[in-house]
Amino acid sequence: MPLRPDEVEVFEHSRARLEAIAYRLLGSASDAEDAVQDTFLRWQSADREHVQTPQAWLTKVLTNVCLNQLTSARARRETYVGTWLPEPVLAGDRMLGPLDTAEQRESVSMAVLTLLERLSPNERAVYVLREAFGYAHGEIAQILGVTESNCQQTYRRAKQHVSAERARAEVDQAAARKIVAEFLTAANNGEIQRLVELLTDDATSTADGGGKIPARAAPIVGALAVAKFLRGLFRPADVKRDLVGGSPAVYVTTANGAPAVVVVIDDRVIGVMSMEVTPEGVAAIHNQVNPDKLVRATRQWSASEHEEPILRVW
């Protein structure tokens, strides 16, 4: 039966929330869009007259679609070329969902999205629905088809795992952006000692090129090693300009609720450097340069206004 206008409105009213849930569950904006579209098709073919609570029904269907995708995604990532990192989402994108609390901001950060890859699909679903969207354990249990007790145990395991890896305090966004700007200036000027001072001792840098753009397969660990890598990254070279098609403009902005560096050529995003800034310094850098994972960022960047670049490189 075709959807009535009010039934279309019910779905559209839920779309932003569904996208935000799917993105946190999958770590991929493009996969999240597919999951939401699949949910819409199921809503279209459902016996809607017997759906008492559409929002709960849609959340349950979406979550199960995502759980199926996670299972197949794990198999694909076993053959992924290099390091797999989540797809970055720039500030203002509704896929980020609510960012009012520290827990909500953390649940969509690059660091936590990467950590969530280590959880089982059910652990990830429970953690996301509880931590980011405040669902009660009873509601989550109904969505996943488990007991409330089982849901609580699953949440405790997931929370403990994430918390064990995330013992760092949050930094004020304005202060963090200032640190990132200073960090970029030091990298561009080749000031290795200053970079070391801005990094934590155990700082890491990871990159995802997806086999399409050169990127180190293994993480770089330690302040000095990361500083030397960044100096090399910012050092001018004709081969770099040839690879990306020009001299990039570098902007300081926000992605996934945290400070980020966006590298742009002719309104095309060619890289997003998400930075984890702590009171002790920059603890982690996640470099996304896989063009397949920058399509949405490019679309959003081209459609929005932004300040002048902080610098131009190469």
Side-chain angles (χ1 to χ4, degrees):
M1 181 182 298
L3 289 170
R4 299 191 310 267
D6 62 306
E7 292 172 330
V8 173
E9 179 61 26
V10 165
F11 186 86
E12 292 304 324
H13 182 72
S14 300
R15 183 183 288 274
R17 179 178 55 84
L18 296 175
E19 287 182 349
I21 292 172
Y23 175 63
R24 285 168 167 82
L25 287 176
L26 300 172
S28 164
S30 57
D31 288 348
E33 287 178 330
D34 291 344
V36 172
Q37 181 60 24
D38 193 349
T39 302
F40 174 76
L41 294 175
R42 298 186 187 208
W43 172 242
Q44 194 172 37
S45 61
D47 184 3
R48 298 179 298 279
E49 295 296 330
H50 292 87
V51 176
Q52 295 182 348
T53 312
Q55 285 199 356
W57 187 95
L58 291 169
T59 303
K60 180 171 184 174
V61 170
L62 174 85
T63 301
N64 283 286
V65 167
C66 290
L67 290 177
N68 290 335
Q69 282 200 26
L70 279 173
T71 301
S72 59
R74 287 194 168 193
R76 291 196 306 272
R77 287 167 196 169
E78 287 178 0
T79 59
Y80 192 82
V81 178
T83 300
W84 184 94
L85 289 177
E87 179 178 346
V89 175
L90 302 183
D93 194 319
R94 69 182 185 185
M95 195 165 281
L96 290 172
L99 298 174
D100 300 323
T101 68
E103 291 78 13
Q104 289 170 337
R105 289 189 293 273
E106 184 172 75
S107 72
V108 80
S109 70
M110 278 290 148
V112 167
L113 287 177
T114 303
L115 279 175
L116 293 181
E117 290 294 307
R118 305 180 191 177
L119 303 182
S120 70
N122 266 28
E123 287 174 338
R124 185 166 186 163
V126 171
Y127 181 86
V128 165
L129 292 172
R130 179 67 177 165
E131 198 76 1
F133 296 92
Y135 280 82
H137 285 296
E139 294 174 304
I140 301 172
Q142 289 184 350
I143 289 170
L144 297 178
V146 299
T147 65
E148 187 169 346
S149 175
N150 178 272
C151 179
Q152 291 170 336
Q153 292 173 4
T154 301
Y155 173 71
R156 280 196 295 271
R157 285 198 306 271
K159 179 78 170 176
Q160 288 170 0
H161 184 87
V162 173
S163 297
E165 300 284 343
R166 296 284 302 158
R168 302 185 188 273
E170 193 177 52
V171 176
D172 173 76
Q173 289 292 304
R177 284 173 66 96
K178 184 177 179 181
I179 291 171
V180 170
E182 187 176 352
F183 189 87
L184 282 176
T185 300
N188 193 51
N189 293 340
E191 301 170 5
I192 289 181
Q193 184 54 43
R194 183 57 184 143
L195 285 173
V196 170
E197 293 170 358
L198 290 169
L199 291 158
T200 62
D201 291 341
D202 59 348
T204 61
S205 175
T206 54
D208 179 351
K212 300 181 179 182
I213 297 293
R216 289 188 177 234
I220 301 167
V221 182
L224 182 58
V226 172
K228 288 181 176 179
F229 165 73
L230 289 168
R231 175 58 192 126
L233 185 65
F234 279 80
R235 183 179 290 118
D238 290 339
V239 66
K240 295 177 183 176
R241 286 188 290 271
D242 293 341
L243 177 65
V244 301
S247 297
V250 180
Y251 299 81
V252 176
T253 184
T254 304
N256 293 78
V261 176
V262 176
V263 185
V264 180
I265 292 181
D266 297 329
D267 273 344
R268 176 173 56 92
V269 176
I270 64 168
V272 176
M273 181 184 291
S274 302
M275 307 184 74
E276 184 181 349
V277 182
T278 74
E280 293 76 33
V282 178
I285 302 170
H286 305 273
N287 298 296
Q288 185 54 261
V289 293
N290 182 346
D292 293 344
K293 297 184 180 182
L294 297 172
V295 173
R296 187 182 181 95
T298 292
R299 190 165 67 236
Q300 186 182 359
W301 185 265
S302 300
S304 62
E305 295 183 359
H306 33 78
E307 299 175 357
E308 289 297 308
I310 191 170
L311 56 88
R312 293 185 181 275
V313 294
W314 309 337

